[in-house]
Amino acid sequence: ILTIYISNVEVQKSRDIEITLSLVASFRQEWQGGWRQTLRDVKQAQERNNNRIIPKENCDEIIPKENCDEMLNMLNWIEWLGLLIENKMIKNDDVVITGIGYQLEEIIKLSKGKLNNDTKENGCTYWSGVVFLSKNFFPQFDKTIFSECSI
C-alpha cells in the first residue's frame, strides 16, 4: 500500500510539473508572438490619452481594434489560469505566477475599465478566475479594479 501511495504522489508531482511547464510555455509563446507588443502599444495609447481607462465598449476609440481583441485574448488566458489554480488543478501556482506575474499584473491593470464594467454588469463570476488571481496574488488591486466584488 505504501508503494502505491508513493507512486501516486510521484505521478501527481510529475503531472504538476508538466502542467506548470506547459502553462509557462503557452504564455511565453503568446508573449513572444505579439502580446508583448500589444501591451506596449496599449500602455502608450493610455499615456497619450492621459491614462484614460480603456472603455468596455468602443475600445478602439483609444487603441486599435486588433489590440482590443488581443487584450481580450490575454484576459481570457488569465481567466483560464485563475480557474485552474482556484480549482486546485495546479499545485505549483507560485512557480507559474513567479514566472509571468509581472505581465499578468500589467494586463490586469491595463484592462481595469473592462473588468470593472463587466463585473458590474454580469456579476463577479463573469471574470471569477481573474478575480481569484487578483485576490490571491495581486493584492494591490484590492477594490481598485473589482469594486463590486468582495475580494
Side-chain angles (χ1 to χ4, degrees), residues 16-139:
D16 288 347
I17 290 169
E18 186 177 326
I19 289 171
T20 300
L21 292 173
S22 293
L23 283 170
V24 172
S26 166
F27 186 85
R28 291 290 176 213
Q29 180 180 4
E30 295 292 348
W31 186 250
Q32 292 167 353
W35 284 3
R36 175 188 308 155
Q37 188 60 49
T38 296
L39 213 55
R40 261 191 224 126
D41 294 347
V42 169
K43 201 170 192 175
Q44 289 172 352
Q46 279 190 321
E47 288 168 359
R48 282 192 307 272
N49 286 281
N50 298 317
N51 291 319
R52 183 174 159 209
I53 293 172
I54 298 170
K56 177 184 179 220
E57 302 296 329
N58 303 319
C59 169
D60 53 354
E61 288 177 4
I62 297 177
I63 61 175
K65 172 84 169 95
E66 58 274 5
N67 287 356
C68 294
D69 294 343
E70 280 299 299
M71 289 298 291
L72 183 59
N73 291 341
M74 290 181 225
L75 283 175
N76 283 325
W77 193 95
I78 295 170
E79 173 72 5
W80 175 74
L81 174 65
L83 292 173
L84 287 174
I85 292 173
E86 182 179 21
N87 291 299
K88 302 189 183 343
M89 308 258 324
I90 301 172
K91 301 271 191 237
N92 296 320
D93 54 14
D94 56 328
V95 174
V96 175
I97 299 301
T98 300
I100 59 176
Y102 175 77
Q103 293 90 344
L104 298 179
E105 182 179 347
E106 285 296 303
I107 295 165
I108 293 169
K109 185 168 47 175
L110 290 173
S111 303
K112 179 179 180 176
K114 175 164 186 47
L115 293 167
N116 260 333
N117 289 333
D118 284 353
T119 54
K120 282 178 185 172
E121 286 180 18
N122 303 300
C124 296
T125 57
Y126 192 78
W127 289 110
S128 62
V130 180
V131 170
F132 177 83
L133 285 177
S134 295
K135 175 182 177 183
N136 291 282
F137 296 99
F138 307 111

